[in-house]
Amino acid sequence: MTTAESYLKPEVIRQISRLDLRAQFVVKGFLQGLHASPYHGFSVEFSEHRRYEQGDDPKDIDWLVYAKTDRYYIKKFEAETNITGYLAMDLSRSMAYTYRQEMTKFDYAISLAAALCYLMVHQQDPVGLVTFDTKIRASLPPKSKRKQLGDVLSLLANLKPTGETDIAHSLSQLAAMLKHRSVVMIFSDLLADPDEVMRAIYQLRHRNHDVILFHVLDEAEVTFPFDGMVELEDPETKERMKVDASNYRKDYQKEIAAFRDKYRQDCFQAGVDYVELDTSMQFDKALTEYLISRQSRF
């Protein structure tokens, strides 16, 4: 039986924990006004000014105020708040598919979510969880205590992807649910109309959330390794179709490449991180490479 611990092996923890989550999840909006303080986190609320005193960091001088008053003033800040993360997990039946890999798409997505949850809790940043198929099915509110890691993993380890899906509706629900600026990490095979999904993602972006889209496909869905006459079945509608796989392969690979490229381009336009994955990739290596590439961009 699958256990929560199997999704976060010690060697993966060691690899992932070398990364500083704050460095990875930094976004330009959070960087504005970032100053040294005894608090952790990014979001800083400007409150008032005070006169510059000897020993203050000159970098903190508000030069706009100086231009108006010819006096040096320092920006004074209230407490900073930690970054809040939400893991959004697709429960649709198609996520249970695997052809010859050890992990289903769902297992793979859970492993990614477990690693990210570990990182956030390790950094004392609150992280929550929502699961969805045609609508949001369950949620855990964000917490930063160590117990949250166990709660998230226990819930994920006991889930089974069995439903049909309406990704766009579920993400719209999530956008309406979130009250504060957050990092929303979506794990899905995205087997839906990209235009509808992106409309919902734009709602999240419009509310100023940082969105990371982990697009998880099975290796076979990317490469189409079948030969001869095969019968394909839609895992959600159960609709079946017979095709000559050998003749169909090129057309299929062209279509799946265009499908992923559509998401990639639309996400770029929306300011969303699009992370293209398949189950043949080592999830910890893929996640580490993504986090490092994200860090280098900011």
Side-chain angles (χ1 to χ4, degrees):
M1 177 181 272
T2 300
T3 63
E5 289 77 16
S6 67
Y7 293 112
L8 207 55
K9 297 174 182 175
E11 62 269 24
V12 176
I13 289 178
R14 283 194 294 273
Q15 173 67 15
I16 296 296
S17 64
R18 293 192 189 103
L19 298 163
D20 179 353
L21 184 68
R22 277 192 185 79
Q24 324 311 334
F25 279 172
V26 63
V27 290
K28 289 177 183 176
F30 285 122
L31 277 176
Q32 291 170 359
L34 180 62
H35 289 260
S37 86
Y39 299 95
H40 295 290
F42 281 113
S43 180
V44 188
E45 185 179 348
F46 177 73
S47 134
E48 57 179 320
H49 289 79
R50 64 170 174 78
R51 286 282 187 92
Y52 176 82
E53 297 174 359
Q54 190 173 359
D56 286 332
D57 191 336
K59 290 188 303 212
D60 292 344
I61 294 172
D62 190 327
W63 295 106
L64 290 176
V65 173
Y66 173 77
K68 292 176 182 177
T69 66
D70 206 32
R71 296 178 187 272
Y72 295 114
Y73 281 86
I74 292 289
K75 295 175 184 176
K76 184 179 174 184
F77 296 92
E78 294 178 353
E80 295 178 297
T81 58
N82 286 356
I83 192 169
T84 298
Y86 280 89
L87 309 166
M89 184 67 60
D90 185 350
L91 292 180
S92 59
R93 191 179 293 117
S94 63
M95 290 290 286
Y97 177 74
T98 183
Y99 175 57
R100 58 188 173 197
Q101 290 295 331
E102 209 174 295
M103 303 175 93
T104 66
K105 291 183 282 185
F106 191 66
D107 290 333
Y108 192 94
I110 288 179
S111 297
L112 289 170
L116 286 163
C117 183
Y118 173 84
L119 270 175
M120 295 203 75
V121 169
H122 180 70
Q123 290 296 134
Q124 299 181 332
D125 288 314
V127 58
L129 171 71
V130 295
T131 62
F132 65 89
D133 45 42
T134 56
K135 62 181 182 180
I136 290 178
R137 293 292 175 184
S139 64
L140 282 176
K143 293 180 183 175
S144 56
K145 295 180 179 177
R146 286 213 163 267
K147 183 178 179 295
Q148 182 75 343
L149 179 61
D151 291 344
V152 168
L153 293 183
S154 293
L155 178 57
L156 288 173
N158 287 294
L159 291 174
K160 295 198 182 303
T162 57
E164 295 184 2
T165 188
D166 189 337
I167 301 170
H169 175 67
S170 300
L171 295 182
S172 293
Q173 276 190 306
L174 180 59
M177 189 176 93
L178 301 183
K179 304 303 180 190
H180 303 289
R181 188 176 187 178
S182 304
V183 175
V184 180
M185 295 158 276
I186 302 165
F187 306 86
S188 174
D189 55 15
L190 299 176
L191 298 181
D193 182 343
D195 290 331
E196 290 184 10
V197 173
M198 289 307 302
R199 271 195 290 272
I201 287 176
Y202 268 108
Q203 290 178 40
L204 287 162
R205 293 292 294 130
H206 182 70
R207 288 166 170 81
N208 226 15
H209 300 297
D210 188 18
V211 179
I212 305 171
L213 193 56
F214 292 96
H215 191 182
V216 181
L217 294 175
D218 186 78
E219 178 192 17
E221 291 174 319
V222 177
T223 62
F224 203 74
F226 311 107
D227 290 302
M229 293 300 296
V230 295
E231 186 174 64
L232 305 176
E233 180 181 282
D234 186 307
E236 294 181 25
T237 66
K238 298 298 182 184
E239 183 180 347
R240 296 186 176 192
M241 177 176 67
K242 284 188 177 180
V243 298
D244 183 342
S246 304
N247 290 332
Y248 185 60
R249 183 177 297 109
K250 272 191 180 177
D251 289 339
Y252 174 87
Q253 290 173 340
K254 185 178 177 182
E255 287 297 317
I256 199 69
F259 177 66
R260 296 169 106 184
D261 193 52
K262 166 78 171 161
Y263 273 115
R264 188 185 308 110
Q265 290 184 31
D266 287 354
C267 285
F268 178 77
Q269 293 292 329
V272 168
D273 274 13
Y274 175 71
V275 188
E276 204 172 293
L277 300 164
D278 73 67
T279 53
S280 69
M281 303 174 180
Q282 285 182 263
F283 82 88
D284 51 325
K285 183 172 182 286
L287 180 60
T288 301
E289 287 176 357
Y290 160 68
L291 292 174
I292 290 170
S293 73
R294 183 177 170 101
Q295 180 182 21
S296 68
R297 283 183 275 130
F298 293 102

